[in-house]
Amino acid sequence: MPPLPVLVDCDTGVDDALALLLAARSPALEILGVTCVAGNVPLDAVVPNTLTVLDAAQRPEIPVAAGYDRPLVAAFESASHVHGEDGMGLPDWPRSIRRPDSRHAVDLMADILSAAPEPVTLIALAPLTNLAGFVHRYPHLLPRIARIVSMGGSAFTGGNMTAAAEFNIGCDPEAAAVVYNSGVPITLYGLDVFRQVTLTEAEVDALENAGQPWSSLLGGLLRYIQRRFGQVEPGLGDGGTVAATILPDVLTTHPHRVDIELTGTHTRGMTVVDRRVASKDARHAAPPNADVAYAIDARRCAELFVKILAR
Amino acid sequence: MPERILIDTDPGIDDAMAILLALASPEVQVEGVTVVFGNSGDVALLARNALAILELAGHTGIPVAVGAANPLVRSYHGRGSSIHGDNGLGDVELSPPTASPIAQNAAHFIIDTCLANPGEITLVTLGPLTNIALALHIRPDLPRYVRRLVMMGGAVNAVGNVSPVAEANVHNDPEAARLVFNAGWEITMAGLDVTMQVHMDDEYLGGLRALGNHAGQFVWDITRFYIAAYHRFGYENMVVHDSCALMAIIRPEFFTSQFAYVDVETSGELTRGQTIGDWRRQYGHEPQTHVLTGVDDVAFKQLYYERIATLP
């Protein structure tokens, strides 16, 4: 199998860092570029974090571009209470001094998609602001996106930012609405499966002590997750999204119409997934626009993560 | 001692099945029936249905009070006949009831009954929550006098039925539901999370008909329209939403539940009428709702059958 060409959009982010390490080291993916957006932490922390992770992964040649520093419409609210002020829970870790690509994220995406010989899969690990900007600026290039694998939202488990909204969608609901109405096929990798991919203690030890250039950083990230969330078996978060892109058959998905609630006292930023049996009825007009992940083979994802990063 | 209940209802095919279950069950004592719009917008028709059901079961002394014909704030959208038929009972013609509704309005009847029996009355709601909200508007301290409220309504983690996320009773009057959820009483919620788990097919319903009594024949007759509607919507069998609320009182051990703060979305353009479960305690409110999430459907249907068998 030739590697799958991908773009990664991220707001690094503790679990984005795990995702980037896996993506950068996996021979199954060809990362054409990484774009950064405000989300877990402000953009001016996301960019150096992203460069730092790619340095540790020994992949400094991957182009990294900064995108939007705020949502399309909403006021920006970070999740630094989860990811630490620095975004990786490692404030003392030296950050890369490299500069990002001079292009804006959406322009880098456009250049890469124009040049790619085949449609590219977009792994979206952050608020969908950059993607919405791309939809508006380069609508003629949308057919060059094979699929968006979006960590965001949920189908039946509620939210984490609020009782109804997951952070990536809730941070920029309007951008999410633009993306979900863009016509690009989407895999909704939501909270329903997101929390399930976890490492055992032994796997954490193996990853931390693997003696690879990224092992020390990876160990620090996993120890932070253990401490911050009181998880003996740390969740991989966005790392699971990348694993599920590499191993798409780990996901059980169902096609549904998904719309984003933009108003709502309690529900703004919620992914409204029409799971009604009757929605299969032709009288309900809106056709499915997303493959919603209901279940995941979490162990296979974790084992892939360990296999790639502990060797 | 049976639990003394007031049933607020919009009968309604599954309402009728639930009322029959209540009348046939010694664990509850029906003190009155109040009628609200919902499955139909014609509350006089729904009150006649209620009276006819009571008479069919041989309970002529139970007062029936007519209540709200419209939601608290917005107007009734008038869907319901596609599930329940134009007369609310699958277009099955019942002989006209001999009794009439009482003169008192439903909200006042609820208040008077509860205040006269402090701590004794359980409110069982099978329709939109408008009558209860109207009663709360007059007597905000009503919860102090009520034992508890058991509702059929809402969908916390389950799929909605009138929208991707909203259940019909709550969606019919989200503002009223919001007032009821935040009134300060303990609520047991039989929403779609649990009601979609009790399936009845024609074989089971045929068994009720074969009981040979009026009630079993009546349930068979009215469910012809209802089950056809479910088939039209793509379901194999029908479900009996409202009976779940009664069964949760009669046999709580059939059910599993989770305790959470539940609120109602009233403004969302896609999510109006959704019930939100605050599972992570993010709203700063104490839990108030036992959300029923699981049920022993086999035991449920066995007992339902046994109880219908005791009716005329």
Side-chain angles (χ1 to χ4, degrees):
Chain A
M1 280 275 287
L4 183 74
V6 298
L7 281 165
V8 180
D9 187 69
C10 59
D11 55 341
T12 320
V14 177
D15 60 324
D16 303 71
L18 302 179
L20 285 169
L21 286 173
L22 175 59
R25 297 309 311 173
S26 169
L29 300 181
E30 180 190 7
I31 307 186
L32 303 176
V34 176
T35 49
C36 299
V37 67
N40 290 327
V41 285
L43 184 64
D44 58 11
V46 171
V47 174
N49 287 347
T50 302
L51 293 166
T52 300
V53 174
L54 292 177
D55 285 352
Q58 310 288 294
R59 296 296 306 276
E61 80 286 4
I62 296 171
V64 174
Y68 295 98
D69 69 351
R70 70 198 66 183
L72 188 58
V73 177
F76 177 55
E77 272 181 76
S78 78
S80 55
H81 60 288
V82 174
H83 295 263
E85 290 297 325
D86 69 304
M88 295 202 294
L90 298 169
D92 299 328
W93 192 273
R95 295 311 201 258
S96 175
I97 54 167
R98 289 197 292 126
R99 304 280 307 162
D101 194 284
S102 61
R103 288 167 286 184
H104 188 277
V106 298
D107 300 321
L108 177 70
M109 289 169 61
D111 288 347
I112 288 170
L113 290 171
S114 301
E118 59 179 301
V120 173
T121 295
L122 222 153
I123 303 175
L125 307 176
L128 293 164
T129 322
N130 281 347
L131 277 62
F134 181 83
V135 171
H136 282 307
R137 290 264 290 278
Y138 299 103
H140 63 284
L141 288 176
L142 291 179
R144 306 299 302 156
I145 303 175
R147 170 169 291 271
I148 298 169
V149 181
S150 168
M151 192 284 123
S154 70
F156 44 82
T157 53
N160 55 6
M161 185 180 188
T162 68
E166 178 280 331
F167 177 79
N168 283 344
I169 307 295
C171 184
D172 193 346
E174 284 76 12
V178 169
V179 172
Y180 271 90
N181 287 315
S182 70
V184 178
I186 297 171
T187 298
L188 189 161
Y189 184 97
L191 294 178
D192 314 292
V193 292
F194 178 81
R195 295 193 187 88
Q196 295 178 28
V197 183
T198 57
L199 298 175
T200 65
E201 280 185 273
E203 287 171 331
V204 174
D205 289 342
L207 287 162
E208 189 175 44
N209 298 316
Q212 298 289 351
W214 54 83
S215 301
S216 174
L217 175 67
L218 177 54
L221 293 164
L222 294 171
R223 297 298 177 201
Y224 174 78
I225 294 169
Q226 287 177 319
R227 280 198 315 278
R228 173 65 182 77
F229 301 105
Q231 295 174 341
V232 177
E233 303 199 332
L236 288 183
D238 290 341
T241 316
V242 170
T245 308
I246 296 170
L247 305 168
D249 64 323
V250 296
L251 291 180
T252 305
T253 65
H254 295 280
H256 290 298
R257 178 69 201 182
V258 178
D259 289 295
I260 312 299
E261 177 59 89
L262 300 178
T263 58
T265 309
H266 295 302
T267 51
R268 176 169 157 77
M270 173 181 170
T271 45
V272 179
V273 180
D274 192 351
R275 294 184 290 136
R276 289 175 293 174
V277 171
S279 70
K280 291 177 187 154
D281 193 311
R283 286 169 298 180
H284 292 260
N289 60 347
D291 295 306
V292 178
Y294 275 51
I296 188 167
D297 186 339
R299 195 81 292 271
R300 270 185 70 204
C301 292
E303 283 166 4
L304 173 76
F305 188 85
V306 174
K307 184 182 125 198
I308 298 295
L309 293 171
R311 70 179 170 203
Chain B
M1 281 284 286
E3 189 160 340
R4 301 172 66 189
I5 64 174
L6 274 182
I7 300 179
D8 188 70
T9 173
D10 53 340
I13 292 165
D14 62 320
D15 303 69
M17 292 179 67
I19 293 167
L20 291 177
L21 173 63
L23 297 173
S25 294
E27 295 86 354
V28 295
Q29 180 175 318
V30 182
E31 302 281 339
V33 174
T34 53
V35 171
V36 64
F37 80 94
N39 292 326
S40 162
D42 181 348
V43 287
L45 167 79
L46 294 174
R48 283 198 300 279
N49 288 350
L51 288 162
I53 294 160
L54 294 175
E55 289 188 13
L56 179 121
H59 288 258
T60 46
I62 296 173
V64 172
V66 181
N70 276 294
L72 205 54
V73 178
R74 306 197 194 185
S75 49
Y76 175 58
H77 55 58
R79 298 174 219 131
S81 61
S82 65
I83 312 280
H84 296 273
D86 288 331
N87 80 345
L89 294 174
D91 297 332
V92 172
E93 291 303 327
L94 280 176
S95 45
T98 55
S100 302
I102 61 172
Q104 201 177 21
N105 171 274
H108 290 279
F109 176 70
I110 291 168
I111 291 169
D112 287 358
T113 307
C114 294
L115 265 57
N117 302 279
E120 286 287 312
I121 304 293
T122 290
L123 299 178
V124 181
T125 68
L126 309 179
L129 292 148
T130 319
N131 284 342
I132 313 300
L134 290 167
L136 283 168
H137 198 212
I138 300 165
R139 289 297 300 237
D141 61 345
L142 182 65
R144 278 184 26 217
Y145 298 90
V146 170
R147 177 167 171 178
R148 61 175 172 150
L149 186 142
V150 181
M151 92 169 46
M152 190 281 132
V156 176
N157 287 341
V159 187
N161 55 10
V162 290
S163 87
V165 293
E167 178 278 332
N169 283 344
V170 174
H171 189 262
N172 265 325
D173 195 344
E175 284 82 7
R178 191 165 205 190
L179 290 172
V180 169
F181 272 102
N182 289 287
W185 42 28
E186 194 170 303
I187 295 171
T188 298
M189 173 179 163
L192 299 182
D193 303 273
V194 72
T195 68
M196 294 302 289
Q197 298 178 38
V198 183
H199 297 250
M200 291 185 181
D201 58 16
D202 274 339
E203 189 185 342
Y204 176 82
L205 296 161
L208 294 177
R209 178 175 58 171
L211 287 167
N213 59 0
H214 289 304
Q217 181 68 46
F218 174 67
V219 170
W220 169 266
D221 289 343
I222 60 175
T223 52
R224 298 307 87 208
F225 191 95
Y226 190 74
I227 200 168
Y230 275 85
H231 291 158
R232 248 188 352 267
F233 292 134
Y235 295 92
E236 278 185 44
N237 303 312
M238 56 173 249
V239 296
V240 285
H241 303 290
D242 291 336
S243 291
C244 292
L246 270 307
M247 194 64 89
I249 302 173
I250 296 164
R251 284 286 184 277
E253 63 271 25
F254 287 176
F255 295 84
T256 55
S257 66
Q258 290 176 275
F259 196 44
Y261 175 69
V262 175
D263 201 359
V264 178
E265 175 61 53
T266 53
S267 61
E269 62 186 313
L270 303 176
T271 53
R272 181 170 155 77
Q274 181 181 358
T275 43
I276 315 286
D278 183 19
W279 303 111
R280 293 181 192 81
R281 304 288 294 266
Q282 289 170 307
Y283 291 160
H285 291 283
E286 289 300 311
Q288 93 282 42
T289 302
H290 300 277
V291 181
L292 301 180
T293 51
V295 60
D296 181 343
D297 64 319
V298 175
F300 184 117
K301 285 190 280 191
Q302 177 62 30
L303 188 67
Y304 189 85
Y305 175 87
E306 289 168 12
R307 291 295 161 84
I308 295 302
T310 67
L311 289 170

